[in-house]
mmCIF file of all heavy atoms in Angstrom:
data_model
loop_
_atom_site.group_PDB
_atom_site.id
_atom_site.type_symbol
_atom_site.label_atom_id
_atom_site.label_comp_id
_atom_site.label_asym_id
_atom_site.label_seq_id
_atom_site.Cartn_x
_atom_site.Cartn_y
_atom_site.Cartn_z
ATOM 1 N N LEU N 1 -30.476 64.604 2.240
ATOM 2 C CA LEU N 1 -29.942 64.006 1.022
ATOM 3 C C LEU N 1 -29.400 62.607 1.376
ATOM 4 O O LEU N 1 -28.282 62.483 1.860
ATOM 5 C CB LEU N 1 -28.837 64.894 0.452
ATOM 6 C CG LEU N 1 -28.452 64.717 -1.017
ATOM 7 C CD1 LEU N 1 -27.589 65.867 -1.490
ATOM 8 C CD2 LEU N 1 -27.748 63.393 -1.265
ATOM 9 N N PRO N 2 -30.200 61.564 1.167
ATOM 10 C CA PRO N 2 -29.809 60.224 1.617
ATOM 11 C C PRO N 2 -28.648 59.614 0.861
ATOM 12 O O PRO N 2 -27.845 58.881 1.451
ATOM 13 C CB PRO N 2 -31.096 59.403 1.418
ATOM 14 C CG PRO N 2 -31.810 60.102 0.293
ATOM 15 C CD PRO N 2 -31.539 61.568 0.531
ATOM 16 N N SER N 3 -28.565 59.898 -0.440
ATOM 17 C CA SER N 3 -27.548 59.253 -1.282
ATOM 18 C C SER N 3 -27.109 60.218 -2.368
ATOM 19 O O SER N 3 -27.865 60.499 -3.294
ATOM 20 C CB SER N 3 -28.126 57.977 -1.920
ATOM 21 O OG SER N 3 -28.651 57.123 -0.923
ATOM 22 N N HIS N 4 -25.889 60.706 -2.257
ATOM 23 C CA HIS N 4 -25.398 61.715 -3.196
ATOM 24 C C HIS N 4 -24.695 61.040 -4.370
ATOM 25 O O HIS N 4 -24.569 59.826 -4.435
ATOM 26 C CB HIS N 4 -24.436 62.655 -2.479
ATOM 27 C CG HIS N 4 -24.431 64.053 -3.008
ATOM 28 N ND1 HIS N 4 -24.603 64.350 -4.345
ATOM 29 C CD2 HIS N 4 -24.266 65.246 -2.386
ATOM 30 C CE1 HIS N 4 -24.549 65.657 -4.514
ATOM 31 N NE2 HIS N 4 -24.342 66.222 -3.335
ATOM 32 N N ASN N 5 -24.241 61.870 -5.317
ATOM 33 C CA ASN N 5 -23.406 61.371 -6.413
ATOM 34 C C ASN N 5 -22.180 60.676 -5.829
ATOM 35 O O ASN N 5 -21.680 61.057 -4.768
ATOM 36 C CB ASN N 5 -22.943 62.525 -7.300
ATOM 37 C CG ASN N 5 -24.093 63.293 -7.915
ATOM 38 O OD1 ASN N 5 -24.236 64.484 -7.681
ATOM 39 N ND2 ASN N 5 -24.911 62.606 -8.712
ATOM 40 N N THR N 6 -21.674 59.697 -6.537
ATOM 41 C CA THR N 6 -20.499 58.961 -6.078
ATOM 42 C C THR N 6 -19.328 59.898 -5.801
ATOM 43 O O THR N 6 -18.602 59.732 -4.817
ATOM 44 C CB THR N 6 -20.088 57.915 -7.134
ATOM 45 O OG1 THR N 6 -21.167 56.987 -7.307
ATOM 46 C CG2 THR N 6 -18.844 57.164 -6.691
ATOM 47 N N LYS N 7 -19.148 60.916 -6.633
ATOM 48 C CA LYS N 7 -18.024 61.844 -6.463
ATOM 49 C C LYS N 7 -18.128 62.672 -5.193
ATOM 50 O O LYS N 7 -17.119 63.202 -4.720
ATOM 51 C CB LYS N 7 -17.895 62.751 -7.692
ATOM 52 C CG LYS N 7 -19.022 63.739 -7.878
ATOM 53 C CD LYS N 7 -18.827 64.601 -9.127
ATOM 54 C CE LYS N 7 -17.657 65.528 -8.980
ATOM 55 N NZ LYS N 7 -17.530 66.445 -10.143
ATOM 56 N N PHE N 8 -19.340 62.768 -4.643
ATOM 57 C CA PHE N 8 -19.530 63.511 -3.400
ATOM 58 C C PHE N 8 -19.827 62.590 -2.221
ATOM 59 O O PHE N 8 -20.362 63.031 -1.199
ATOM 60 C CB PHE N 8 -20.669 64.520 -3.566
ATOM 61 C CG PHE N 8 -20.376 65.585 -4.588
ATOM 62 C CD1 PHE N 8 -21.214 65.765 -5.678
ATOM 63 C CD2 PHE N 8 -19.268 66.406 -4.460
ATOM 64 C CE1 PHE N 8 -20.952 66.744 -6.628
ATOM 65 C CE2 PHE N 8 -18.992 67.388 -5.412
ATOM 66 C CZ PHE N 8 -19.830 67.549 -6.493
ATOM 67 N N SER N 9 -19.466 61.327 -2.382
ATOM 68 C CA SER N 9 -19.675 60.344 -1.314
ATOM 69 C C SER N 9 -18.363 59.643 -0.978
ATOM 70 O O SER N 9 -18.336 58.456 -0.655
ATOM 71 C CB SER N 9 -20.725 59.312 -1.752
ATOM 72 O OG SER N 9 -21.938 59.934 -2.097
ATOM 73 N N GLN N 10 -17.262 60.393 -1.047
ATOM 74 C CA GLN N 10 -15.943 59.829 -0.789
ATOM 75 C C GLN N 10 -15.715 59.648 0.718
ATOM 76 O O GLN N 10 -16.354 60.294 1.546
ATOM 77 C CB GLN N 10 -14.868 60.753 -1.363
ATOM 78 C CG GLN N 10 -15.021 61.007 -2.857
ATOM 79 C CD GLN N 10 -14.971 59.726 -3.675
ATOM 80 O OE1 GLN N 10 -14.014 58.960 -3.571
ATOM 81 N NE2 GLN N 10 -15.997 59.479 -4.471
ATOM 82 N N LYS N 11 -14.793 58.769 1.054
ATOM 83 C CA LYS N 11 -14.479 58.525 2.461
ATOM 84 C C LYS N 11 -13.876 59.782 3.091
ATOM 85 O O LYS N 11 -13.136 60.520 2.449
ATOM 86 C CB LYS N 11 -13.504 57.361 2.585
ATOM 87 C CG LYS N 11 -14.108 56.013 2.240
ATOM 88 C CD LYS N 11 -13.098 54.900 2.469
ATOM 89 C CE LYS N 11 -13.720 53.534 2.163
ATOM 90 N NZ LYS N 11 -12.748 52.430 2.380
ATOM 91 N N LEU N 12 -14.208 59.980 4.355
ATOM 92 C CA LEU N 12 -13.643 61.110 5.083
ATOM 93 C C LEU N 12 -12.146 60.900 5.281
ATOM 94 O O LEU N 12 -11.693 59.788 5.571
ATOM 95 C CB LEU N 12 -14.329 61.256 6.443
ATOM 96 C CG LEU N 12 -15.833 61.565 6.408
ATOM 97 C CD1 LEU N 12 -16.410 61.477 7.815
ATOM 98 C CD2 LEU N 12 -16.081 62.931 5.815
ATOM 99 N N ILE N 13 -11.383 61.992 5.137
ATOM 100 C CA ILE N 13 -9.927 61.892 5.296
ATOM 101 C C ILE N 13 -9.414 62.740 6.450
ATOM 102 O O ILE N 13 -8.216 62.748 6.729
ATOM 103 C CB ILE N 13 -9.206 62.289 3.994
ATOM 104 C CG1 ILE N 13 -9.523 63.751 3.626
ATOM 105 C CG2 ILE N 13 -9.586 61.355 2.867
ATOM 106 C CD1 ILE N 13 -8.714 64.245 2.437
ATOM 107 N N GLY N 14 -10.317 63.477 7.107
ATOM 108 C CA GLY N 14 -9.895 64.293 8.237
ATOM 109 C C GLY N 14 -9.493 65.710 7.880
ATOM 110 O O GLY N 14 -9.130 66.498 8.758
ATOM 111 N N ASP N 15 -9.550 66.039 6.605
ATOM 112 C CA ASP N 15 -9.276 67.403 6.147
ATOM 113 C C ASP N 15 -10.624 68.077 5.941
ATOM 114 O O ASP N 15 -11.347 67.736 5.006
ATOM 115 C CB ASP N 15 -8.486 67.366 4.846
ATOM 116 C CG ASP N 15 -8.099 68.749 4.344
ATOM 117 O OD1 ASP N 15 -8.983 69.638 4.285
ATOM 118 O OD2 ASP N 15 -6.922 68.933 3.979
ATOM 119 N N ARG N 16 -10.970 69.037 6.790
ATOM 120 C CA ARG N 16 -12.306 69.615 6.764
ATOM 121 C C ARG N 16 -12.648 70.239 5.408
ATOM 122 O O ARG N 16 -13.771 70.084 4.919
ATOM 123 C CB ARG N 16 -12.482 70.666 7.866
ATOM 124 C CG ARG N 16 -13.837 71.354 7.832
ATOM 125 C CD ARG N 16 -14.101 72.221 9.036
ATOM 126 N NE ARG N 16 -15.301 73.029 8.841
ATOM 127 C CZ ARG N 16 -16.538 72.577 8.939
ATOM 128 N NH1 ARG N 16 -16.760 71.304 9.194
ATOM 129 N NH2 ARG N 16 -17.560 73.381 8.738
ATOM 130 N N VAL N 17 -11.699 70.917 4.803
ATOM 131 C CA VAL N 17 -11.961 71.583 3.519
ATOM 132 C C VAL N 17 -12.267 70.550 2.443
ATOM 133 O O VAL N 17 -13.249 70.669 1.706
ATOM 134 C CB VAL N 17 -10.769 72.466 3.107
ATOM 135 C CG1 VAL N 17 -11.003 73.037 1.718
ATOM 136 C CG2 VAL N 17 -10.585 73.593 4.118
ATOM 137 N N LEU N 18 -11.433 69.529 2.341
ATOM 138 C CA LEU N 18 -11.651 68.499 1.326
ATOM 139 C C LEU N 18 -12.879 67.651 1.638
ATOM 140 O O LEU N 18 -13.641 67.288 0.733
ATOM 141 C CB LEU N 18 -10.410 67.607 1.206
ATOM 142 C CG LEU N 18 -9.195 68.241 0.541
ATOM 143 C CD1 LEU N 18 -8.020 67.272 0.529
ATOM 144 C CD2 LEU N 18 -9.528 68.695 -0.884
ATOM 145 N N ASP N 19 -13.074 67.336 2.909
ATOM 146 C CA ASP N 19 -14.251 66.534 3.284
ATOM 147 C C ASP N 19 -15.546 67.274 2.966
ATOM 148 O O ASP N 19 -16.530 66.655 2.544
ATOM 149 C CB ASP N 19 -14.203 66.201 4.777
ATOM 150 C CG ASP N 19 -13.179 65.122 5.108
ATOM 151 O OD1 ASP N 19 -12.746 64.413 4.181
ATOM 152 O OD2 ASP N 19 -12.803 64.989 6.286
ATOM 153 N N LEU N 20 -15.543 68.592 3.142
ATOM 154 C CA LEU N 20 -16.733 69.377 2.837
ATOM 155 C C LEU N 20 -17.069 69.308 1.353
ATOM 156 O O LEU N 20 -18.241 69.307 0.966
ATOM 157 C CB LEU N 20 -16.526 70.832 3.255
ATOM 158 C CG LEU N 20 -17.737 71.775 3.121
ATOM 159 C CD1 LEU N 20 -18.853 71.344 4.068
ATOM 160 C CD2 LEU N 20 -17.331 73.215 3.387
ATOM 161 N N LYS N 21 -16.040 69.212 0.514
ATOM 162 C CA LYS N 21 -16.241 69.160 -0.936
ATOM 163 C C LYS N 21 -16.553 67.753 -1.436
ATOM 164 O O LYS N 21 -17.351 67.577 -2.358
ATOM 165 C CB LYS N 21 -15.000 69.691 -1.662
ATOM 166 C CG LYS N 21 -14.749 71.175 -1.486
ATOM 167 C CD LYS N 21 -13.533 71.609 -2.279
ATOM 168 C CE LYS N 21 -13.301 73.116 -2.165
ATOM 169 N NZ LYS N 21 -12.120 73.557 -2.947
ATOM 170 N N LEU N 22 -15.942 66.757 -0.825
ATOM 171 C CA LEU N 22 -15.994 65.405 -1.380
ATOM 172 C C LEU N 22 -16.901 64.442 -0.633
ATOM 173 O O LEU N 22 -17.167 63.343 -1.121
ATOM 174 C CB LEU N 22 -14.573 64.822 -1.437
ATOM 175 C CG LEU N 22 -13.570 65.623 -2.272
ATOM 176 C CD1 LEU N 22 -12.195 64.979 -2.212
ATOM 177 C CD2 LEU N 22 -14.046 65.760 -3.719
ATOM 178 N N ASN N 23 -17.378 64.832 0.540
ATOM 179 C CA ASN N 23 -18.304 63.976 1.272
ATOM 180 C C ASN N 23 -19.496 64.829 1.702
ATOM 181 O O ASN N 23 -19.500 65.447 2.757
ATOM 182 C CB ASN N 23 -17.631 63.335 2.488
ATOM 183 C CG ASN N 23 -18.544 62.334 3.171
ATOM 184 O OD1 ASN N 23 -19.546 62.696 3.779
ATOM 185 N ND2 ASN N 23 -18.212 61.056 3.072
ATOM 186 N N ARG N 24 -20.527 64.848 0.849
ATOM 187 C CA ARG N 24 -21.676 65.711 1.077
ATOM 188 C C ARG N 24 -22.970 64.889 1.218
ATOM 189 O O ARG N 24 -24.063 65.440 1.246
ATOM 190 C CB ARG N 24 -21.811 66.715 -0.079
ATOM 191 C CG ARG N 24 -20.572 67.569 -0.252
ATOM 192 C CD ARG N 24 -20.673 68.509 -1.436
ATOM 193 N NE ARG N 24 -21.705 69.505 -1.274
ATOM 194 C CZ ARG N 24 -21.608 70.593 -0.520
ATOM 195 N NH1 ARG N 24 -20.500 70.821 0.181
ATOM 196 N NH2 ARG N 24 -22.598 71.457 -0.448
ATOM 197 N N THR N 25 -22.815 63.591 1.293
ATOM 198 C CA THR N 25 -23.983 62.721 1.356
ATOM 199 C C THR N 25 -24.521 62.604 2.774
ATOM 200 O O THR N 25 -23.801 62.844 3.749
ATOM 201 C CB THR N 25 -23.629 61.320 0.803
ATOM 202 O OG1 THR N 25 -24.828 60.574 0.621
ATOM 203 C CG2 THR N 25 -22.694 60.563 1.733
ATOM 204 N N LYS N 26 -25.801 62.290 2.893
ATOM 205 C CA LYS N 26 -26.493 62.040 4.161
ATOM 206 C C LYS N 26 -26.537 63.256 5.080
ATOM 207 O O LYS N 26 -26.677 63.136 6.293
ATOM 208 C CB LYS N 26 -25.881 60.818 4.867
ATOM 209 C CG LYS N 26 -25.902 59.588 3.972
ATOM 210 C CD LYS N 26 -25.549 58.319 4.692
ATOM 211 C CE LYS N 26 -25.406 57.163 3.705
ATOM 212 N NZ LYS N 26 -26.580 56.972 2.819
ATOM 213 N N ARG N 27 -26.435 64.433 4.465
ATOM 214 C CA ARG N 27 -26.584 65.680 5.215
ATOM 215 C C ARG N 27 -27.984 66.248 5.020
ATOM 216 O O ARG N 27 -28.692 65.883 4.080
ATOM 217 C CB ARG N 27 -25.560 66.718 4.736
ATOM 218 C CG ARG N 27 -24.150 66.442 5.170
ATOM 219 C CD ARG N 27 -23.154 67.378 4.508
ATOM 220 N NE ARG N 27 -23.548 68.778 4.632
ATOM 221 C CZ ARG N 27 -22.928 69.783 4.037
ATOM 222 N NH1 ARG N 27 -21.871 69.539 3.271
ATOM 223 N NH2 ARG N 27 -23.335 71.014 4.188
ATOM 224 N N ILE N 28 -28.369 67.145 5.907
ATOM 225 C CA ILE N 28 -29.625 67.874 5.762
ATOM 226 C C ILE N 28 -29.280 69.271 5.264
ATOM 227 O O ILE N 28 -28.693 70.071 5.985
ATOM 228 C CB ILE N 28 -30.410 67.952 7.087
ATOM 229 C CG1 ILE N 28 -30.805 66.544 7.538
ATOM 230 C CG2 ILE N 28 -31.667 68.824 6.919
ATOM 231 C CD1 ILE N 28 -31.520 66.500 8.886
ATOM 232 N N PHE N 29 -29.622 69.545 4.015
ATOM 233 C CA PHE N 29 -29.317 70.839 3.409
ATOM 234 C C PHE N 29 -30.495 71.778 3.669
ATOM 235 O O PHE N 29 -31.412 71.902 2.858
ATOM 236 C CB PHE N 29 -29.031 70.676 1.919
ATOM 237 C CG PHE N 29 -27.734 69.981 1.659
ATOM 238 C CD1 PHE N 29 -27.671 68.594 1.567
ATOM 239 C CD2 PHE N 29 -26.547 70.708 1.542
ATOM 240 C CE1 PHE N 29 -26.458 67.948 1.348
ATOM 241 C CE2 PHE N 29 -25.322 70.071 1.330
ATOM 242 C CZ PHE N 29 -25.287 68.687 1.237
ATOM 243 N N ASN N 30 -30.425 72.436 4.837
ATOM 244 C CA ASN N 30 -31.540 73.256 5.287
ATOM 245 C C ASN N 30 -31.242 74.750 5.211
ATOM 246 O O ASN N 30 -31.838 75.549 5.925
ATOM 247 C CB ASN N 30 -31.940 72.865 6.712
ATOM 248 C CG ASN N 30 -30.729 72.765 7.621
ATOM 249 O OD1 ASN N 30 -29.688 73.368 7.355
ATOM 250 N ND2 ASN N 30 -30.834 72.000 8.690
#
């Protein structure tokens, strides 16, 4: 997924739970 919705492309904050929800771009959903 090269470019996700803006709401799921937020900057990482170091909180794994929140980062998993809010930064989902550029991952391989396999």
Side-chain angles (χ1 to χ4, degrees):
L1 199 167
S3 306
H4 211 325
N5 300 120
T6 299
K7 68 180 292 185
F8 296 122
S9 303
Q10 302 301 305
K11 290 183 178 180
L12 297 172
I13 61 173
D15 183 311
R16 177 171 170 77
V17 175
L18 288 178
D19 285 343
L20 185 65
K21 292 182 177 181
L22 301 178
N23 186 291
R24 302 177 65 77
T25 192
K26 304 190 188 306
R27 287 172 50 187
I28 297 177
F29 290 89
N30 48 23

